[in-house]
Amino acid sequence: MAADKLTSRSEDFSEWYNQIVLKADMADYGPVRGTMIVKPYGWKLWENIQGALNSRFQATGVENAAFPIFIPQSFLTKEAQHVEGFAPELAIVTHGGGKELAEPIVVRPTSETVIGDAYSRWIQSFRDLPVLINCWNNVVRWEMRTRIFLRTMEFYWQEGHTAHATAAEAEERTLMMLDAYTDFSVNEAAVPVVPGLKSNNETFPGADSTYTIEAMMGDGKALQSGTSHNLGQNFAKAFDIKYLSEENEREFCWTTSWGVSTRFIGAIIMTHGDDNGLIMPPRLAPIQVVVVSIFKKAKEKEAVLPVAQRIFDELKAAGIRVKLDDRENMSPGAKYYEWEMRGVPVRVEIGPRDVQKESAALARRDIPGRDGKSFVPQENIVAQVQNLLDTVQAALLKRATDFREDNTHDVTDYAGLKTAVQTGWARGWWAGSDEDENIVKQETKATLRCYPIDQPEGEGVCFYTGKPATRVALFGRAY
Amino acid sequence: MAADKLTSRSEDFSEWYNQIVLKADMADYGPVRGTMIVKPYGWKLWENIQGALNSRFQATGVENAAFPIFIPQSFLTKEAQHVEGFAPELAIVTHGGGKELAEPIVVRPTSETVIGDAYSRWIQSFRDLPVLINCWNNVVRWEMRTRIFLRTMEFYWQEGHTAHATAAEAEERTLMMLDAYTDFSVNEAAVPVVPGLKSNNETFPGADSTYTIEAMMGDGKALQSGTSHNLGQNFAKAFDIKYLSEENEREFCWTTSWGVSTRFIGAIIMTHGDDNGLIMPPRLAPIQVVVVSIFKKAKEKEAVLPVAQRIFDELKAAGIRVKLDDRENMSPGAKYYEWEMRGVPVRVEIGPRDVQKESAALARRDIPGRDGKSFVPQENIVAQVQNLLDTVQAALLKRATDFREDNTHDVTDYAGLKTAVQTGWARGWWAGSDEDENIVKQETKATLRCYPIDQPEGEGVCFYTGKPATRVALFGRAY
């Protein structure tokens, strides 16, 4: 097992991450450089993320649909900033059906253009508004330095695209989806994100403003985990999305777009994982509970298996995502190692003694070793396991929140920022220019992650320029 | 409304289909020739199809995963028949990130090759078998003559890929998935497919054998609605998928693949639709019931709306997919027209008289006009609506089955086939060669759809060659 040992986080966080992705059976590398294969265990997590986001989208009236992956190259050029942002990252289809194409086709890097074109045809009157559509799909961006889930050439995401009659409605929708993302992150993934506004430098190409949820990873770096863009009338003007108002005037629409991708799986891994492997937040875990039967002799097996099976059946009937591990020729230790690596939040162990005493051992994944074990009667095991799942969920959120707070430092000068971003985030009053922000980035590798929505009252002094400042910004090194 | 009128099926079935797709708000054309946009109403049907298939897959141990859309061009050439079958249909990416690629990349037309490559790495021992994976994704085939849902350049589907230790297990899995498709088609979509074996000419490129479910459309033509392939050891040999057996021998695996696509939406439209539009099978319908409130004066509105709302709430609480149509400035007739076009199986009408009499009118979509209407007390309306949904589901299946039987003709000579395929299918003993089959196709435009699984006993005489025949085949013109 030594050869199989996971590199520790303190030793090499990056290597720890790469190993976990493979060892926890989440994903693999695809044959084309930069592509990934998402294996069943990773995809099930994604499906659970999809379910949790879908229910939030639907509660706000959003419906799912699908737009083509192929976009005429000319579409990309219609919005000036958009093409500038995405042109270097495009994959281009030049041949189809054995012939060279008259106009090359772009594999979508995002769908504002093709959806803008459709909306210009679908939207005629104020009665057609708002249009609230979301797509679950795959997009392609030609990335040079790729890492599974965090940055891949092809990735999976949802992209929401809405059109509205007024600027106020578009801004309301942009913030509504930011709220949905924050609620999902905190309450489903136990990832305590900071919602905020991106700086001008970091705004989506073609947007008026971009909001973000920023998460702190286990190494103190930031991961942008979802974005919500107010596109103003930029795409409406580029694609002629107009409606006839109640006053019978032709007006341009106001549009938004917002997305969360398989990158979020990286956020979960790097927020909760430890030196034994992954830790899945119970509400999204593909497997919430594993029941491990422990026996050596045939007689023990006869006694243990039916009890393990009965407990498995009870948990399953209660709607818990549970797996029974009754493999033979494998030591309990090897089984524990595997399920810990895969991050199953709660393990139920049933051995010969438990059968006699009508007990079971419960092990929680977030607290390793004996401290995380409790011994309980088999009676009422469902309620006990459900409680423990809730406990683990809350503990993961608290631990990640504490970690973020401990590693976020209020700074009042540039030296303070330089120190803070070695290990975590810097938070301080900021009135710098776009150029100032670039200098900070060059000198410290830290970027302005966001202006948090939650701002202190009053005003302050910019830690970099010394000018009066009206907003506090968060800085950090980022993935 | 005259301009808006749907072309009748008898007038021009093909035009009727094209119009329904747009008028029922199912889909639209994408900007790149041959691509489609699936609108929310169409996508919700697809999501319901996904749910119904997923539960059947999972019951047999299949898990979902995702493989890259980009495949190295060299992979396609590894299986000789496979490349021959797909080479003419490929879309090729030659440029990425602003540079010409050293090796062109293929946009997947299907994933046997990239999955075969992964399986060759993942499978080591008999303990790793079987591997049972399914993917929901998009694929691209460069089609010259496209029609929304039936044949598009990009389409959505599921592709299942399994690997097994023995030939028998692979054949069992191939037939198991054919059964799952048949059960789904008949019991969820009310599409009475004929499961059967494809002829040699129609076998998937790279497969040993291909099974199919064939559905008869409203014009008597056949639509291949799903396929299940026994790939033998062809891809295992091409991609070196081997396992160490219990006897410690390196053996090639046996693999299968199987798929149902958004083409199935076309099958639903053309099986059930009538001259008023779409008819959705209740079990898959995006909207199962629409509650239409009928009022003119303000006083009527006050009386009607709360009752309509209450009935909507009751139906929704019972888990029925229901919509409340309380739009003003729109006549009841215009509303009925719209919901009939979209194929909502049951309509509940609530007008001022219904409020007084505590009644409601139920209209079933499959029987137009007064014959399909019943007047029921509001009390216990949920159970009545549920019963009516079941009734409509069963009636659709019976009608489609009767239609297929009425239009399937047993033939004993070639003249009989020629007549039969003018309006439907021909069924007869067949012992012809691949070349004979090609001649029949050239002369009659009819293809051998399948050798049905359900065969008569004994033997017969081939209707074409006069030779002794051991199997009955179905012939028809097809989409």
Side-chain angles (χ1 to χ4, degrees):
Chain A
M1 202 176 292
D4 225 348
K5 200 168 167 5
L6 187 63
T7 296
S8 74
R9 298 191 305 157
S10 57
E11 196 181 333
D12 185 343
F13 193 85
S14 177
E15 176 60 20
W16 168 85
Y17 176 84
N18 291 341
Q19 287 184 9
I20 269 201
V21 165
L22 302 178
K23 285 177 192 279
D25 216 27
M26 295 287 282
D28 199 353
Y29 298 96
V32 170
R33 190 193 56 77
T35 62
M36 67 174 165
I37 298 167
V38 186
K39 297 180 83 172
Y41 192 60
W43 195 253
K44 185 69 195 165
L45 175 59
W46 183 238
E47 288 182 339
N48 292 345
I49 290 171
Q50 290 183 308
L53 286 172
N54 259 337
S55 66
R56 284 167 173 79
F57 298 163
Q58 281 159 20
T60 72
V62 172
E63 296 180 302
N64 292 332
F67 291 81
I69 193 171
F70 284 167
I71 303 178
Q73 197 170 29
S74 59
F75 274 33
L76 266 287
T77 63
K78 291 195 181 186
E79 214 289 333
Q81 297 202 319
H82 195 67
V83 67
E84 199 184 312
F86 284 105
E89 297 184 0
L90 298 178
I92 317 271
V93 176
T94 57
H95 290 72
K99 290 186 183 158
E100 185 162 1
L101 306 180
E103 184 189 352
I105 290 169
V106 164
V107 183
R108 71 175 158 229
T110 180
S111 301
E112 278 76 8
T113 60
V114 65
I115 292 180
D117 176 65
Y119 283 7
S120 74
R121 286 180 285 117
W122 297 349
I123 297 169
Q124 303 297 331
S125 137
F126 68 93
R127 286 197 186 83
D128 300 325
L129 296 174
V131 175
L132 308 172
I133 287 181
N134 175 63
C135 308
W136 291 96
N137 61 30
N138 52 343
V139 291
V140 168
R141 297 180 188 175
W142 208 270
E143 303 280 2
M144 294 315 293
R145 306 186 68 180
T146 57
R147 296 185 70 191
I148 286 184
F149 295 128
L150 299 179
R151 197 176 291 279
T152 46
M153 183 199 279
E154 180 192 20
F155 60 88
Y156 306 92
W157 74 344
Q158 58 70 215
E159 48 175 327
H161 294 269
T162 69
H164 306 269
T166 67
E169 266 185 57
E171 180 68 7
E172 185 191 19
R173 171 59 58 173
T174 309
L175 287 169
M176 189 190 299
M177 302 327 287
L178 185 73
D179 281 351
Y181 289 163
T182 305
D183 181 63
F184 156 77
S185 301
V186 173
N187 295 315
E188 304 279 355
V191 173
V193 294
V194 176
L197 178 69
K198 280 287 184 192
S199 69
N200 192 41
N201 283 358
E202 305 273 337
T203 295
F204 178 77
D208 278 359
S209 57
T210 290
Y211 294 89
T212 178
I213 48 171
E214 296 287 324
M216 184 183 281
M217 303 295 96
D219 59 353
K221 287 167 77 176
L223 186 77
Q224 176 181 305
S225 304
T227 48
S228 185
H229 313 296
N230 186 335
L231 304 174
Q233 294 184 310
N234 304 328
F235 284 91
K237 285 178 177 167
F239 287 90
D240 203 35
I241 314 175
K242 282 182 177 167
Y243 72 98
L244 200 63
S245 72
E246 289 196 64
E247 294 75 31
N248 228 31
E249 302 277 349
R250 285 232 160 270
E251 309 270 9
F252 284 112
C253 288
W254 302 80
T255 70
T256 81
S257 68
W258 25 278
V260 159
S261 76
T262 34
R263 185 168 227 228
F264 203 94
I265 294 176
I268 289 172
I269 296 172
M270 292 195 292
T271 297
H272 301 307
D274 68 12
D275 289 349
N276 295 323
L278 206 55
I279 303 183
M280 290 279 191
R283 290 183 60 91
L284 296 177
I287 302 171
Q288 297 174 306
V289 177
V290 60
V291 178
V292 179
S293 53
I294 302 165
F295 53 82
K296 284 183 185 163
K297 302 167 197 160
K299 207 171 174 183
E300 289 175 347
K301 179 180 160 185
E302 265 174 49
V304 165
L305 275 189
V307 175
Q309 180 72 49
R310 197 198 70 224
I311 289 172
F312 167 83
D313 291 341
E314 286 176 19
L315 293 169
K316 196 177 166 70
I320 292 170
R321 296 188 289 274
V322 58
K323 177 142 186 120
L324 177 63
D325 185 351
D326 55 2
R327 287 175 291 180
E328 303 188 28
N329 306 317
M330 194 170 178
S331 72
K335 289 182 181 180
Y336 300 167
Y337 176 84
E338 183 181 316
W339 297 117
E340 283 171 6
M341 182 66 78
R342 299 180 78 178
V344 175
V346 168
R347 184 174 72 229
V348 180
E349 303 166 8
I350 307 284
R353 273 200 203 170
D354 296 304
V355 173
Q356 280 173 13
K357 294 161 67 184
E358 298 190 4
S359 65
L362 302 188
R364 52 188 285 190
R365 175 62 183 84
D366 60 325
I367 302 181
R370 296 205 171 190
D371 293 347
K373 270 206 186 180
S374 54
F375 301 88
V376 302
Q378 287 169 19
E379 202 186 341
N380 204 21
I381 191 136
V382 170
Q384 297 175 85
V385 165
Q386 269 164 338
N387 279 341
L388 189 53
L389 287 169
D390 291 344
T391 302
V392 172
Q393 179 83 24
L396 289 176
L397 179 60
K398 182 174 189 312
R399 182 159 79 183
T401 308
D402 290 348
F403 180 81
R404 189 195 68 197
E405 289 308 303
D406 290 348
N407 291 287
T408 302
H409 301 285
D410 289 306
V411 298
T412 52
D413 56 24
Y414 192 32
L417 176 135
K418 285 177 178 170
T419 307
V421 300
Q422 300 287 332
T423 56
W425 294 351
R427 180 170 51 200
W429 292 101
W430 174 257
S433 64
D434 295 355
E435 183 53 27
D436 291 334
E437 199 184 316
N438 282 334
I439 293 169
V440 171
K441 182 176 177 179
Q442 277 168 19
E443 292 182 351
T444 69
K445 292 183 191 156
T447 45
L448 198 166
R449 302 314 305 156
C450 69
Y451 300 104
I453 297 287
D454 189 13
Q455 287 280 329
E457 288 188 24
E459 301 196 353
V461 176
C462 173
F463 70 83
Y464 184 77
T465 62
K467 295 179 190 165
T470 58
R471 290 188 293 190
V472 159
L474 267 188
F475 284 81
R477 294 176 182 166
Y479 282 92
Chain B
M1 201 175 294
D4 225 346
K5 200 168 166 7
L6 187 64
T7 297
S8 74
R9 299 192 303 158
S10 56
E11 196 181 334
D12 185 343
F13 194 84
S14 177
E15 177 60 20
W16 168 86
Y17 176 83
N18 291 340
Q19 288 184 9
I20 270 201
V21 166
L22 301 178
K23 284 177 193 279
D25 217 27
M26 296 286 283
D28 198 353
Y29 298 96
V32 170
R33 189 193 57 76
T35 63
M36 68 174 163
I37 298 167
V38 185
K39 297 181 82 172
Y41 192 60
W43 195 252
K44 185 68 195 165
L45 174 60
W46 182 239
E47 288 183 339
N48 292 345
I49 291 171
Q50 290 183 307
L53 286 173
N54 258 337
S55 66
R56 285 167 173 78
F57 297 163
Q58 281 160 20
T60 71
V62 173
E63 295 180 302
N64 292 332
F67 290 81
I69 192 170
F70 284 166
I71 303 178
Q73 197 170 27
S74 59
F75 275 32
L76 266 288
T77 62
K78 290 195 180 184
E79 213 290 332
Q81 297 201 319
H82 194 66
V83 67
E84 198 184 313
F86 284 104
E89 297 185 359
L90 298 177
I92 317 270
V93 176
T94 57
H95 291 71
K99 289 184 185 157
E100 185 162 0
L101 306 179
E103 184 188 353
I105 290 169
V106 164
V107 183
R108 71 175 157 228
T110 179
S111 301
E112 278 76 8
T113 59
V114 65
I115 292 180
D117 177 64
Y119 283 7
S120 74
R121 286 180 287 117
W122 297 350
I123 297 168
Q124 303 297 330
S125 136
F126 69 91
R127 286 198 185 83
D128 300 325
L129 296 174
V131 175
L132 308 172
I133 287 181
N134 176 62
C135 307
W136 292 96
N137 61 30
N138 52 343
V139 291
V140 168
R141 297 178 187 177
W142 208 270
E143 302 280 2
M144 294 315 293
R145 306 186 68 179
T146 57
R147 296 186 70 190
I148 287 183
F149 294 129
L150 299 179
R151 196 177 291 278
T152 47
M153 183 200 278
E154 180 192 18
F155 59 87
Y156 307 92
W157 75 345
Q158 57 71 215
E159 47 175 327
H161 294 269
T162 70
H164 306 268
T166 66
E169 266 185 58
E171 180 68 7
E172 184 191 20
R173 170 59 58 172
T174 309
L175 287 168
M176 190 190 300
M177 301 327 287
L178 184 74
D179 281 351
Y181 288 162
T182 305
D183 181 62
F184 156 78
S185 301
V186 173
N187 296 315
E188 304 279 354
V191 172
V193 295
V194 176
L197 178 69
K198 281 288 185 194
S199 69
N200 192 42
N201 283 358
E202 305 273 338
T203 295
F204 178 78
D208 277 0
S209 57
T210 289
Y211 294 89
T212 178
I213 48 172
E214 296 286 325
M216 183 183 283
M217 302 295 97
D219 60 353
K221 286 166 77 175
L223 185 77
Q224 176 180 304
S225 304
T227 47
S228 186
H229 313 296
N230 186 337
L231 304 173
Q233 293 183 311
N234 304 327
F235 285 89
K237 286 178 178 167
F239 288 89
D240 203 36
I241 314 174
K242 283 182 177 167
Y243 72 98
L244 199 64
S245 72
E246 288 196 66
E247 293 75 30
N248 228 31
E249 301 277 349
R250 284 232 160 271
E251 308 271 9
F252 284 112
C253 289
W254 302 80
T255 68
T256 81
S257 68
W258 26 277
V260 159
S261 76
T262 34
R263 183 167 229 228
F264 203 94
I265 295 177
I268 289 173
I269 296 173
M270 292 195 291
T271 297
H272 300 307
D274 67 13
D275 288 348
N276 295 322
L278 206 55
I279 302 182
M280 290 279 190
R283 290 182 62 90
L284 296 176
I287 303 172
Q288 296 174 306
V289 177
V290 59
V291 178
V292 179
S293 54
I294 302 166
F295 52 83
K296 283 183 184 164
K297 303 168 197 159
K299 208 170 172 182
E300 288 175 348
K301 180 180 159 185
E302 267 173 49
V304 166
L305 276 189
V307 175
Q309 180 71 48
R310 197 198 70 224
I311 289 171
F312 167 83
D313 291 341
E314 285 175 19
L315 293 169
K316 197 175 165 69
I320 292 170
R321 297 187 289 275
V322 59
K323 175 140 187 125
L324 177 63
D325 185 350
D326 54 3
R327 287 176 291 180
E328 304 189 25
N329 305 318
M330 195 170 177
S331 71
K335 289 182 180 179
Y336 299 168
Y337 176 84
E338 184 180 315
W339 296 117
E340 283 171 6
M341 182 66 77
R342 299 180 77 177
V344 176
V346 167
R347 185 174 71 229
V348 180
E349 304 167 7
I350 307 286
R353 273 199 203 170
D354 296 304
V355 173
Q356 279 173 12
K357 294 160 67 184
E358 297 189 5
S359 66
L362 302 188
R364 51 189 284 190
R365 175 63 184 84
D366 61 323
I367 303 180
R370 295 203 173 193
D371 293 347
K373 269 205 187 182
S374 54
F375 301 89
V376 302
Q378 287 169 20
E379 202 186 339
N380 204 20
I381 191 138
V382 169
Q384 295 175 85
V385 166
Q386 270 164 338
N387 279 341
L388 188 54
L389 287 169
D390 290 345
T391 303
V392 172
Q393 179 83 26
L396 288 176
L397 179 61
K398 181 173 190 312
R399 183 160 79 183
T401 308
D402 289 349
F403 180 82
R404 188 195 69 197
E405 289 309 304
D406 290 348
N407 291 285
T408 301
H409 302 285
D410 289 307
V411 298
T412 50
D413 56 26
Y414 191 32
L417 177 135
K418 284 178 179 168
T419 306
V421 301
Q422 299 288 332
T423 55
W425 293 352
R427 181 171 49 202
W429 293 100
W430 175 257
S433 64
D434 296 354
E435 183 53 27
D436 291 333
E437 200 183 315
N438 283 334
I439 293 169
V440 171
K441 182 177 178 179
Q442 275 167 22
E443 292 181 350
T444 69
K445 293 183 189 156
T447 45
L448 198 167
R449 304 313 307 158
C450 69
Y451 299 104
I453 298 287
D454 188 14
Q455 288 279 331
E457 288 188 24
E459 301 195 355
V461 177
C462 173
F463 69 84
Y464 184 78
T465 61
K467 294 179 190 165
T470 57
R471 290 188 294 189
V472 159
L474 267 188
F475 284 79
R477 293 175 182 168
Y479 281 92

